[in-house]
Amino acid sequence: MKKNSMKQKLVSILLILVLAGTIPLLTAFSNKEPQTLYRVYLKGKSIGLIKSKEALEDYIDNRQNQIKEKFGVNKVYLPEDLDIEKEVTFDNDVSSIKEIYKKIENISPFTIRGYEITIGAVDSQAVDGTEIKGKKQKVYVLDKKIFEEAVDNIVHSFVSEEDYENYANGTQKEIKDVGKIIESITIENKITIKRANIPVDKTIYQDTSTLSKYLMFGTIEDQQKYIVQEGDTIEDIAFNNKISTEEFMIANPSFTSTNSLLYPGQEVTLGILKPQFRVVEVDHVVFDEETNYQTETQYDNTKEVGYSEIKQHGVKGVTRITQKIQKVNGATVDVAAVGTGEVLKEPVNEIIVRGGKKTSYYSGGYGTVVATRGQWGWPATCSSVSSPFGYRWGTLHDAIDIAGCGYGSNIFAAQDGTVVQSAYKYDNGEFITIDHHNGYYTMYAHMVSGSRRVKVGDYVVKGQVIGSMGMTGAASGVHVHFAIWRGYPYRGGTPLNPLSFY
Ligand SMILES: [Zn+2]
């Protein structure tokens, strides 16, 4: 009895041991039988095991049919170095066909024949002078014609068809007296087009209009729309939506001029242009410009204070000016004077006789001031505006850039006032700000280094030379960045369009 019970105990212990070991034991036994599976290799590396090679091939075939249909091609290329090899293995970590397919797609997508276009990087400068780093990018098309037509579309958005045709065919009219000749139209970015197997997981452009949209706006998403309200003008709509009128015109090619008729309820596009390459046009222009006469004040001590008489009326002169103008994507970025200009007619000074004692301001040699254009004096010796006030490329240009007067030409105070800033700043370069004591301030930036003639606290009069035109700070060419502010610039003031003062 005792013996028996011992035996029973032993059996139950063994049973427990066997039961406890059931699961691992069973697995170990089944693994002893190797299975025939397929190992999938991509680029020489195993990406998993599958049960059926045929099932994967069928799945791929099926996907290829979808791709063929989507792109209208008759051949889809498998990734190169995709290998499927039979393997007898104890490894039973089998992947599903779908999992393997996803892995293949992620590592090395299927390709179709097409064109790979590389658009090289070009750095540029924003209107506030900050450097914008360019990015190299690839664009894929089925047919290179699509790309060529889209490039044509973009170029024609910036250069009129007629101008472009004449330039391309060498049929531009020579300049006899005044006129314009396009010296060059170039795309600054290096563009290479090559026939290649292109990956189907990337955007492949199949039509010109979609690609044109991308090349113009940097996206194929629909651009923001605006419904015209009673009383709207193109200028207002553009400014209120932080784009320039030029950009508005390009985004809405159905309008022929900024005075085009708008009607309430009309839908317009407000897209901010982000051209994917830089179309650079260099123009040679010759035009006649009226030159201002100077006003001389003579003091007659025999006459009472307050007496004023024009002894000689001023007559404007005419100067023939030659300039080289550089435009990037339709916007003028630089105006450079060619030579000093040919005087066709000398201006005649205006002479004013005033009574009384000489005032302190006019005794020191400021007897001559640049003629007024209304109340405000023009701050430069030439009048070309190379960059207007307003939005461009998404940034507000809070001044006008006056260019074409030449390096070192005079910059004049636009009105009497007190100098409140005369300094160097990385973006403005050498600059001066004047408080005119009537709520308005003017600012003059990018002067020649060391050319500032006035310091903080100095009183200046309209037409007084305060410095020379240069390109210090963030300036792409010789110009004066001239701003008129209501209130102190950047400290609570509001920048105004200087051109509305002249
Ligand atoms: Zn500027």
Side-chain angles (χ1 to χ4, degrees), residues 411-450:
I411 292 172
F412 310 101
Q415 255 196 33
D416 298 3
T418 304
V419 175
V420 290
Q421 288 179 308
S422 177
Y424 175 87
K425 220 175 132 239
Y426 71 98
D427 50 356
N428 288 337
E430 304 266 343
F431 76 105
I432 286 167
T433 306
I434 301 171
D435 176 0
H436 299 295
H437 306 297
N438 53 4
Y440 294 103
Y441 291 72
T442 50
M443 203 188 88
Y444 316 74
H446 310 310
M447 290 179 178
V448 171
S449 189

Side-chain angles (χ1 to χ4, degrees), residues 17 20 33 145 184 206 224 238 321 326 333 365 378 383 386 400:
L17 277 175
E33 291 297 319
K145 239 191 178 163
S184 64
Q206 301 178 70
Q224 203 191 322
I321 295 187
Q326 196 185 45
V333 295
W378 188 251
S383 62
S386 61
I400 52 172

Side-chain angles (χ1 to χ4, degrees), residues 397 401 479 481:
H397 186 230
D401 290 345
H479 72 275
H481 173 95

Side-chain angles (χ1 to χ4, degrees), residues 209-415:
S209 68
T210 312
L211 180 57
S212 300
K213 193 170 174 184
Y214 172 73
L215 293 177
M216 190 61 121
F217 296 104
T219 169
I220 53 171
E221 302 279 305
D222 274 336
Q223 298 300 305
Q224 203 191 322
K225 302 282 189 213
Y226 173 79
I227 305 293
V228 173
Q229 310 288 306
E230 186 89 48
D232 277 345
T233 65
I234 287 178
E235 269 174 30
D236 292 343
I237 295 172
F239 189 83
N240 292 339
N241 292 284
K242 304 190 170 188
I243 58 175
S244 69
T245 47
E246 289 88 348
E247 285 172 310
F248 180 94
M249 298 302 286
I250 293 166
N252 295 276
S254 59
F255 293 105
T256 50
S257 92
T258 49
N259 297 319
S260 291
L261 207 61
L262 292 173
Y263 55 87
Q266 188 176 12
E267 191 182 72
V268 295
T269 297
L270 296 173
I272 292 180
L273 304 185
K274 286 203 186 77
Q276 297 301 298
F277 48 76
R278 285 160 60 91
V279 179
V280 180
E281 176 184 337
V282 177
D283 295 341
H284 179 93
V285 294
V286 182
F287 60 97
D288 291 341
E289 187 175 72
E290 281 194 328
T291 47
N292 292 316
Y293 50 80
Q294 297 190 318
T295 304
E296 252 176 69
T297 307
Q298 296 175 351
Y299 291 90
D300 183 345
N301 286 333
T302 66
K303 299 287 198 293
E304 280 176 28
V305 174
Y307 171 87
S308 168
E309 185 202 26
I310 295 174
K311 190 172 156 191
Q312 179 180 289
H313 282 278
V315 181
K316 286 184 171 183
V318 178
T319 301
R320 180 153 293 173
I321 295 187
T322 305
Q323 291 177 340
K324 215 171 266 292
I325 294 175
Q326 196 185 45
K327 293 179 189 167
V328 174
N329 294 343
T332 301
V333 295
D334 192 28
V335 176
V338 177
T340 50
E342 181 195 349
V343 177
L344 302 182
K345 190 177 131 198
E346 291 280 0
V348 178
N349 283 1
E350 179 147 299
I351 300 170
I352 299 175
V353 178
R354 292 187 196 278
K357 279 186 177 172
K358 291 176 179 180
T359 70
S360 59
Y361 303 142
Y362 290 93
S363 60
Y366 298 131
T368 319
V369 296
V370 167
T372 57
R373 299 196 193 192
Q375 207 189 344
W376 293 76
W378 188 251
T381 58
C382 63
S383 62
S384 299
V385 172
S386 61
S387 179
F389 177 89
Y391 286 94
R392 190 169 74 183
W393 303 333
T395 315
L396 176 67
H397 186 230
D398 55 19
I400 52 172
D401 290 345
I402 306 167
C405 322
Y407 186 83
S409 61
N410 285 336
I411 292 172
F412 310 101
Q415 255 196 33

